[in-house]
Amino acid sequence: MEHSKWTKGSLEAEISKTLTQWEKDFLGRGSVSVKTDILRDMLVISLSGVLTPAEYKLCSAKEGLLAVKRMRSDLVESGRQFLGNIIQELTGEEVKSFHTDISTHTGERIMVFRLSGNLQEKLQ
């Protein structure tokens, strides 16, 4: 997409909406809330309410916690190429790297996409 079609806020909202839909389609359920921030050449995305009640229960023991983190990481990694394509289509920037982690305490996932260009600057 052309950068001129978006304001920073509208693109952040569109990325959040699109990622929520990806979660529902790919993972079977979406987060309770998603917030995207464009920061220089990065997208920092915070997804809240990711874990199910059963996963919280599993996380009370260390081995369960590690199993939940590993399974959730594997699920997202298996859709990494598709996620990269979504981000590139929305931003017009290639994804150079992708980082993610989930808190088994808060049920929040953080995703960071490093882009090929300074998207924040281009949107100003």
Side-chain angles (χ1 to χ4, degrees):
M1 292 236 166
E2 242 180 87
H3 298 299
S4 61
K5 293 183 181 183
W6 298 104
T7 64
K8 183 175 178 281
S10 66
L11 182 54
E12 290 168 338
E14 185 64 24
I15 290 168
S16 294
K17 184 179 118 193
T18 304
L19 274 182
T20 299
Q21 190 59 52
W22 172 82
E23 284 184 302
K24 288 177 181 175
D25 295 344
F26 191 75
L27 301 173
R29 66 185 291 269
S31 305
V32 172
S33 70
V34 179
K35 173 74 173 107
T36 299
D37 291 295
I38 297 169
L39 179 64
R40 295 184 305 274
D41 64 343
M42 293 178 285
L43 300 177
V44 180
I45 304 164
S46 159
L47 304 98
S48 300
V50 173
L51 296 179
T52 67
E55 287 172 319
Y56 277 117
K57 189 161 176 76
L58 276 174
C59 290
S60 62
K62 184 174 180 171
E63 57 213 34
L65 180 148
L66 294 173
V68 167
K69 281 180 87 78
R70 186 173 43 252
M71 178 58 73
R72 284 298 187 134
S73 178
D74 290 349
L75 285 170
V76 170
E77 282 296 325
S78 69
R80 190 211 176 287
Q81 183 64 46
F82 189 69
L83 275 174
N85 292 342
I86 289 171
I87 296 302
Q88 184 168 359
E89 186 177 308
L90 287 171
T91 65
E93 299 292 333
E94 184 182 339
V95 174
K96 287 180 17 180
S97 61
F98 171 67
H99 311 273
T100 186
D101 195 18
I102 192 166
S103 167
T104 53
H105 179 70
T106 63
E108 177 183 53
R109 170 179 292 286
I110 298 292
M111 294 178 163
V112 178
F113 292 90
R114 190 84 191 274
L115 306 174
S116 58
N118 186 332
L119 183 59
Q120 182 177 5
E121 191 175 87
K122 290 175 183 171
L123 290 168
Q124 289 178 349

